[in-house]
Structures are given as C-alpha cells and as structure tokens.
Amino acid sequence: MQTICTENLYRVSDFPLIAAITVWLPIFAVDRTDPRRTYFLFERSNELDVIVANYNRRELRVEPQTYYHAIKNVKARLYEDS
C-alpha cells in the first residue's frame, strides 16, 4: 500500500463535487485506505479553491454533457482496481 502525503492535496469524498472538479482539474490520486469510503485527491491550487467555493455557493456552471462525462470518468476511477 502506498502512503500519500496530503499536505498539499485536497481530499474529498463528495461525489458530485469530485465530478465538478474533474471538469477542470485532473485527479491526483485515489485514497482507498478507509474501508468504508473512497477519497479523491486533487493538488491544491487557487483554481481548485475557486471551483470549490463556487460549488458550495451553488454558482458553479458546467455544461451538462461535460458534467455527465466527468461523472462517468470518476465512476471508472472509483471502480478500477477495487
């Protein structure tokens, strides 16, 4: 098992937020160390902070088909090597 340093990473398990982030930013790693929950890690950046803030304020705008494909890609990462 690989140890992941999360100091400069944003760790999240909220599936809709993960999909929204992946529209603009790549997934850095997938953390499966918790047997009950999978976490996705993203590199911290100003762009990430803006995306998360807009998501939480319900101001984030994403083209529907792009979001749908992001969901499919996140699901693929979630279930690979499970």
Side-chain angles (χ1 to χ4, degrees), residues 65-77:
Q65 286 185 339
T66 303
Y67 187 66
Y68 172 75
H69 290 294
I71 289 171
K72 287 179 64 171
N73 291 334
V74 171
K75 283 184 180 181
R77 288 290 300 267

Side-chain angles (χ1 to χ4, degrees), residues 49-72:
D49 293 341
V50 169
I51 293 167
V52 172
N54 287 340
Y55 176 87
N56 288 331
R57 287 192 308 259
R58 298 178 181 205
E59 296 175 355
L60 189 65
R61 300 290 177 241
V62 180
E63 194 275 322
Q65 286 185 339
T66 303
Y67 187 66
Y68 172 75
H69 290 294
I71 289 171
K72 287 179 64 171

Side-chain angles (χ1 to χ4, degrees), residues 4-47:
I4 300 170
C5 176
T6 59
E7 185 174 312
N8 294 319
L9 298 175
Y10 180 71
R11 185 174 180 244
V12 60
S13 64
D14 178 8
F15 189 84
L17 176 56
I18 295 164
I21 293 170
T22 62
V23 169
W24 291 280
L25 300 172
I27 297 168
F28 180 79
V30 180
D31 179 1
R32 293 185 174 91
T33 55
D34 183 340
R36 295 169 298 183
R37 186 169 298 242
T38 299
Y39 292 91
F40 286 75
L41 291 89
F42 297 90
E43 289 189 67
R44 288 198 177 273
S45 68
N46 290 335
E47 185 178 8

